[in-house]
Amino acid sequence: MTELRETRSARRPAGDRPALRWIPGFALLSLIWGASFVLIKIAVDAGVAPMWVAFWRCFFGAAALGAVCAVRRLAPSRDRATWAHALVVAVLFNAVPFALFSYGETRVSSVLAGIWNATTPLTTLVFVLALIPGERRTARRVLGLLTGFAGVLVVLGVWHGLRGGTLAGDLACLGATICYGAAFAYTRRYFSGRGDAAAALALTQVLCATVELAVVTPVLAGPPSWPGVRAAVALVVLGSVGTGLAYIINLGVIRAAGTTVAASVTYVTPVWSTLLGAWLLGEPPGWNTLAGGALVLAGVVVSR
């Protein structure tokens, strides 16, 4: 049913405004996830173990989603198949990439982590072609993805070389984006189109991730410790907004605009992560940030 709605939406005239209702959610999501890299950096710099960053992010995200669902009188899904798919989505979208990005940011800057996150549409495209029969690799879509990725390279300033991190940190961030690519495709194919409300599905997903991380985190990282007020606030905001609110918005964008467009949000997050990193962490942006940001936005428009 979701694919049928998207097909009808794609056939609407260009001037049909309802077809563009996903744009505000897309823009807000890019800001939230761009800020997430700064919040992760604050936590790991305060000594919070990467696995605990991932756990607290899911824990506070589940708490926020639970509050939203309580207000809206929604409950987690009662369908066993939905829970089974949620367990897979939770691994791919939450548990593993959250831990990998947190580990990566112990070795690379928040700006560089945000840039690596922008490779998600490229990894998503591979999984989409394998899992989503209705989505094809058109010349325009590929052009948009390549244009956006060129913008990412300009923001990064690749002519100076990749500096500021180790190979292990880079590979951890790349591994996280591969997980995201698989997660976007799997979510569209098996999860987002189910009958539950977006908030209820998001709660089901993040609850699964919280339980998964609760089992393995104490074993791998030992007991938690108090990181200080600043890091604690960063973790609460990272979880409640960066996972709680963001995952409701993300499911809505996937349903309204499709998997590839939803994944393209990671082309915009480096712009926000760079600006916020400069403001909060003293990582000043250069002229290439503005030029690359223009290319990033152009790539999103073309791919749509």
Side-chain angles (χ1 to χ4, degrees), residues 101-127:
F101 265 126
S102 298
Y103 171 77
E105 288 202 49
T106 64
R107 298 173 180 267
V108 304
S109 68
S110 64
V111 173
L112 186 54
I115 297 297
W116 275 115
N117 190 54
T119 64
T120 298
L122 301 178
T123 60
T124 299
L125 184 58
V126 175
F127 290 102

Side-chain angles (χ1 to χ4, degrees), residues 75 111 179 238:
V111 173
C179 289
L238 177 66

Side-chain angles (χ1 to χ4, degrees), residues 39-254:
L39 297 173
I40 291 170
K41 190 66 172 177
I42 291 172
V44 297
D45 282 353
V48 183
M51 290 298 299
W52 281 112
V53 173
F55 170 78
W56 290 121
R57 182 174 183 177
C58 291
F59 177 84
F60 290 120
L65 287 167
V68 170
C69 288
V71 170
R72 298 174 59 182
R73 298 184 179 180
L74 299 172
S77 177
R78 298 181 180 179
D79 180 57
R80 291 183 179 180
T82 298
W83 279 96
H85 289 306
L87 287 169
V88 177
V89 173
V91 170
L92 295 174
F93 237 144
N94 303 105
V96 174
F98 287 1
L100 286 175
F101 265 126
S102 298
Y103 171 77
E105 288 202 49
T106 64
R107 298 173 180 267
V108 304
S109 68
S110 64
V111 173
L112 186 54
I115 297 297
W116 275 115
N117 190 54
T119 64
T120 298
L122 301 178
T123 60
T124 299
L125 184 58
V126 175
F127 290 102
V128 162
L129 293 175
L131 295 176
I132 313 296
E135 294 208 36
R136 295 179 297 173
R137 184 173 55 184
T138 64
R140 177 170 178 168
R141 179 171 291 174
V142 173
L143 176 62
L145 294 176
L146 293 177
T147 301
F149 189 66
V152 167
L153 297 180
V154 173
V155 172
L156 182 59
V158 291
W159 52 89
H160 297 305
L162 294 178
R163 299 175 295 181
T166 66
L167 179 60
D170 290 330
L171 291 178
C173 293
L174 178 59
T177 67
I178 292 173
C179 289
Y180 283 153
F184 270 111
Y186 191 96
T187 299
R188 164 71 187 282
R189 181 68 177 85
Y190 298 109
F191 193 62
S192 66
R194 309 192 76 83
D196 301 274
L201 281 177
L203 176 59
T204 302
Q205 171 189 332
V206 180
L207 280 174
C208 288
T210 304
V211 172
E212 291 165 352
L213 286 167
V215 172
V216 301
T217 297
V219 176
L220 297 178
S225 60
W226 175 249
V229 174
R230 185 167 184 255
V233 171
L235 288 171
V236 172
V237 175
L238 177 66
S240 59
V241 179
T243 301
L245 175 62
Y247 275 79
I248 297 175
I249 299 172
N250 182 54
L251 280 171
V253 173
I254 291 175

Side-chain angles (χ1 to χ4, degrees), residues 26-38 101 110-111 113-121 152 155 262-276 296-297 300:
F26 181 95
L28 180 58
L29 193 60
S30 71
L31 171 59
I32 292 173
W33 280 346
S36 294
F37 294 100
V38 173
F101 265 126
S110 64
V111 173
I115 297 297
W116 275 115
N117 190 54
T119 64
T120 298
V152 167
V155 172
S264 296
V265 72
T266 56
Y267 274 159
V268 187
T269 55
V271 178
W272 290 113
S273 65
T274 300
L275 294 175
L276 293 172
V296 165
L297 296 175
V300 172

